[in-house]
Amino acid sequence: LKSSKSIETVSFVGSGNVATHLAVALKGAGVEVAEVFSENTENAKTFAIKLQCSIAESIQNFKMTSDLTILTVPDSKIVEVSKLLPDSDSIVVHTSGITDISVLNGREHYGVFYPLQTFSKERKVDISEVPFCIEANNENDFNLLMELAFKLSNNVKKVSSDQRKLLHLTAVMVNNFSNHMYHLAQEILENNNIDFDFLLPLIQETALKINDVHPAKAQTGPARRKDNSTIKEHLKMLNEFPEYQEIYKLLSEQIMKKYHE
Amino acid sequence: LKSSKSIETVSFVGSGNVATHLAVALKGAGVEVAEVFSENTENAKTFAIKLQCSIAESIQNFKMTSDLTILTVPDSKIVEVSKLLPDSDSIVVHTSGITDISVLNGREHYGVFYPLQTFSKERKVDISEVPFCIEANNENDFNLLMELAFKLSNNVKKVSSDQRKLLHLTAVMVNNFSNHMYHLAQEILENNNIDFDFLLPLIQETALKINDVHPAKAQTGPARRKDNSTIKEHLKMLNEFPEYQEIYKLLSEQIMKKYHE
């Protein structure tokens, strides 16, 4: 890519949730989605129909004529895929939180285009709020990737591989582990014929609160106030769920330590 | 209270966050806040000025002339306070998640008025969305409490003490434990000079997503897809935080079990 040019065409290797959400957003921003390849041929077809793009029959036959090639394959496949792709001037980026930029150093132009958000088929995400973490192997490609990301989102940052890995680790904590709490709560309530929807306003408020209040200050509840009798009663109520008891115990101990040691 | 009358005046024992949020909402709904007592005299004064009500100098001098007396004292004080309060026709309710209605059975009229939400000074909560769990020792008082709660919220339900305890237990999980995850994430990121605000859109989306998607289906991430190499790398990154490592390990194991056993 010449330094004056911006990214006008994009292709995808992989056709899952991240690929689909990104491709739809890019197309909406006036970027052409040219080509897709996926080992999951059904997914690839759905993607190609939705984005009206061509399908490569194999990774070796990928045309690679787009300004940018976005890899949304599993982390363990990134190196292999980047080596199988034909030589080209196309910038090759991965979208992984945990993978170092250096795994792509067999390419001439490479980088990272990491959207820090949870994507699923069932929900439309407001992409303009999604933080994009950008990295590239040279300044010109970096600027092109930044420019592209800003077409999608107001929240685009230069983030090093080490910083991105820490964001990914903490994203697992705030997303996967919080969602696991919702899952346990839902199980316990349904087991007792109580509607899980009772908890939805509390769940929303818990997440919204930290927009205004530091999480250390936002904490409340029995462990925060060292209310051992409530903790004891809750643990007793969890007798039929020994695994959840273990989580309750460990987390309560750690919260108590934070505020009472 | 005669069965035809509705609750028109309310008094509070306790003057913390729950008392203040409830009192402001009740006043806004046209209910008179008449009297407050709190062992924390500073808090009581602030409350009395804000709500323009009288202050009792001791619990024994509490006038008890309101239709309803709301106890927002610590759980361990509810029985004692309910016994020290003068005899009266006033309905005495507590606002505790974990405390059985029966602890108030020394009174003639009693019940539970439990708002299932997290309240703090720093944030205004939309009370019309807060689920209220209502219980009373007789049908007339129950109806009066339901009527009053519906003046504040669209989400008012009859909930037994046993059901309420389960809601309280699961509220601790989805609120306190999720907030603890935010707290750990914030600590890890600040420790590495990374802005915690990066995670806010993800945190909001995690909570909003379960309005549309069952928490079991909403789960994503390394444990969900049994991505052992990412889990191993995350655990290594947590070497300097052995306690957080323990949480990461336990929760990842349990998520993996849910989906891969």
Side-chain angles (χ1 to χ4, degrees):
Chain A
L1 288 179
K2 288 183 196 137
S3 53
S4 56
K5 210 180 165 254
S6 58
I7 294 168
E8 281 162 12
T9 51
V10 175
S11 294
F12 283 85
V13 182
S15 56
N17 287 327
V18 174
T20 307
H21 280 268
L22 279 182
V24 168
L26 286 166
K27 197 173 174 179
V31 178
E32 191 196 333
V33 177
E35 190 180 15
V36 67
F37 171 75
S38 173
E39 292 198 344
N40 183 330
T41 50
E42 271 314 302
N43 262 4
K45 254 185 228 169
T46 311
F47 181 101
I49 291 167
K50 189 165 192 167
L51 278 307
Q52 297 177 281
C53 71
S54 70
I55 308 183
E57 278 176 24
S58 73
I59 188 86
Q60 291 88 347
N61 288 329
F62 205 73
K63 289 196 212 91
M64 286 296 276
T65 51
S66 288
D67 300 331
L68 176 65
T69 304
I70 301 181
L71 312 185
T72 62
V73 298
D75 300 348
S76 58
K77 298 277 181 75
I78 295 173
V79 177
E80 185 195 334
V81 165
S82 80
K83 287 182 179 164
L84 289 173
L85 284 169
D87 282 342
S88 154
D89 272 353
S90 185
I91 308 172
V92 176
V93 295
H94 73 61
T95 52
S96 160
I98 194 69
T99 311
D100 206 276
I101 184 177
S102 63
V103 302
L104 293 173
N105 64 13
R107 311 291 317 178
E108 200 174 339
H109 299 272
Y110 60 95
V112 178
F113 198 80
Y114 173 57
L116 181 45
Q117 189 50 278
T118 173
F119 295 103
S120 45
K121 263 198 199 101
E122 296 85 353
R123 254 185 80 84
K124 203 171 146 47
V125 164
D126 178 6
I127 201 112
S128 72
E129 301 268 323
V130 173
F132 276 80
C133 304
I134 306 297
E135 217 178 340
N137 73 315
N138 68 64
E139 206 185 322
N140 187 44
D141 291 342
F142 172 76
N143 290 335
L144 291 171
L145 291 172
M146 289 291 284
E147 192 195 328
L148 183 72
F150 270 120
K151 285 185 184 171
L152 306 180
S153 167
N154 309 311
N155 197 352
V156 180
K157 296 268 164 59
K158 180 179 188 167
V159 173
S160 73
S161 285
D162 283 345
Q163 289 172 324
R164 179 167 36 80
K165 286 174 199 180
L166 285 159
L167 284 167
H168 183 247
L169 164 68
T170 51
V172 165
M173 291 174 152
V174 301
N175 173 271
N176 304 165
F177 294 173
S178 289
N179 188 75
H180 191 53
M181 295 303 145
Y182 310 159
H183 191 178
L184 303 192
Q186 177 267 329
E187 245 184 68
I188 293 168
L189 292 180
E190 282 200 356
N191 210 47
N192 290 278
N193 297 313
I194 303 170
D195 193 351
F196 174 66
D197 285 2
F198 261 108
L199 292 181
L200 290 178
L202 177 64
I203 288 172
Q204 315 304 333
E205 172 63 15
T206 305
L208 286 170
K209 195 175 181 178
I210 53 160
N211 284 323
D212 298 337
V213 188
H214 189 287
K217 275 204 81 177
Q219 193 58 283
T220 57
R224 169 68 185 88
R225 59 178 188 267
K226 215 180 181 177
D227 174 355
N228 285 313
S229 97
T230 298
I231 292 172
K232 219 170 136 183
E233 180 142 359
H234 281 167
L235 286 172
K236 211 174 90 189
M237 287 163 71
L238 288 170
N239 268 341
E240 38 177 334
F241 298 95
E243 292 194 330
Y244 306 171
Q245 219 175 26
E246 203 182 342
I247 287 181
Y248 188 100
K249 220 171 155 179
L250 181 66
L251 288 169
S252 294
E253 276 165 10
Q254 291 204 11
I255 295 172
M256 261 196 275
K257 258 195 187 171
K258 280 240 176 293
Y259 296 94
H260 298 280
E261 262 181 29
Chain B
L1 286 178
K2 286 182 199 140
S3 53
S4 57
K5 210 178 166 255
S6 59
I7 294 169
E8 282 163 10
T9 53
V10 174
S11 294
F12 283 85
V13 182
S15 57
N17 287 327
V18 174
T20 307
H21 280 268
L22 279 183
V24 168
L26 285 165
K27 198 173 174 178
V31 178
E32 190 194 335
V33 177
E35 189 180 16
V36 67
F37 170 76
S38 172
E39 291 198 345
N40 183 329
T41 51
E42 272 314 301
N43 263 4
K45 253 185 229 167
T46 310
F47 182 101
I49 291 166
K50 190 164 193 168
L51 278 307
Q52 297 177 281
C53 70
S54 71
I55 308 184
E57 279 176 23
S58 72
I59 188 85
Q60 291 87 347
N61 288 328
F62 205 72
K63 286 195 214 94
M64 288 295 277
T65 50
S66 287
D67 300 330
L68 175 66
T69 304
I70 300 181
L71 312 186
T72 62
V73 298
D75 299 348
S76 58
K77 297 278 180 74
I78 294 173
V79 176
E80 186 195 333
V81 164
S82 80
K83 286 183 179 164
L84 288 173
L85 283 170
D87 282 342
S88 153
D89 271 352
S90 185
I91 307 172
V92 176
V93 294
H94 73 63
T95 52
S96 161
I98 194 69
T99 310
D100 207 277
I101 185 178
S102 63
V103 303
L104 293 173
N105 64 13
R107 310 292 314 179
E108 201 174 339
H109 299 272
Y110 59 95
V112 178
F113 198 80
Y114 173 58
L116 181 46
Q117 190 50 282
T118 173
F119 296 104
S120 46
K121 263 197 198 103
E122 295 85 353
R123 254 185 80 83
K124 201 170 148 47
V125 164
D126 178 6
I127 201 112
S128 72
E129 301 268 322
V130 173
F132 277 81
C133 304
I134 306 296
E135 218 179 339
N137 72 316
N138 67 64
E139 206 185 322
N140 187 43
D141 291 343
F142 172 76
N143 290 334
L144 291 171
L145 292 172
M146 288 291 283
E147 192 194 330
L148 182 73
F150 269 120
K151 286 185 182 170
L152 306 180
S153 168
N154 309 311
N155 197 351
V156 180
K157 296 267 165 60
K158 180 178 188 170
V159 173
S160 73
S161 285
D162 283 344
Q163 289 173 322
R164 177 166 38 80
K165 286 173 197 179
L166 285 159
L167 284 167
H168 183 248
L169 163 68
T170 51
V172 165
M173 292 174 153
V174 301
N175 173 271
N176 304 163
F177 294 172
S178 289
N179 187 75
H180 190 54
M181 295 303 145
Y182 309 159
H183 192 179
L184 303 191
Q186 177 268 330
E187 245 185 69
I188 292 168
L189 293 180
E190 283 200 356
N191 210 48
N192 289 279
N193 297 312
I194 303 170
D195 194 351
F196 174 66
D197 285 2
F198 262 107
L199 292 181
L200 291 178
L202 177 63
I203 288 171
Q204 315 305 333
E205 172 63 15
T206 305
L208 286 171
K209 196 175 181 179
I210 53 159
N211 285 323
D212 299 336
V213 188
H214 189 287
K217 276 205 80 177
Q219 192 59 282
T220 57
R224 169 68 185 85
R225 60 176 187 267
K226 215 179 181 178
D227 173 355
N228 285 312
S229 98
T230 297
I231 292 172
K232 218 170 138 183
E233 180 142 358
H234 281 167
L235 286 172
K236 210 174 92 189
M237 289 163 71
L238 288 171
N239 268 340
E240 38 177 333
F241 299 94
E243 291 194 331
Y244 306 170
Q245 220 174 26
E246 203 182 342
I247 286 180
Y248 188 101
K249 221 172 153 176
L250 181 66
L251 287 169
S252 294
E253 277 165 9
Q254 290 205 9
I255 294 171
M256 260 194 279
K257 257 194 189 173
K258 279 241 177 292
Y259 296 94
H260 299 279
E261 262 179 29

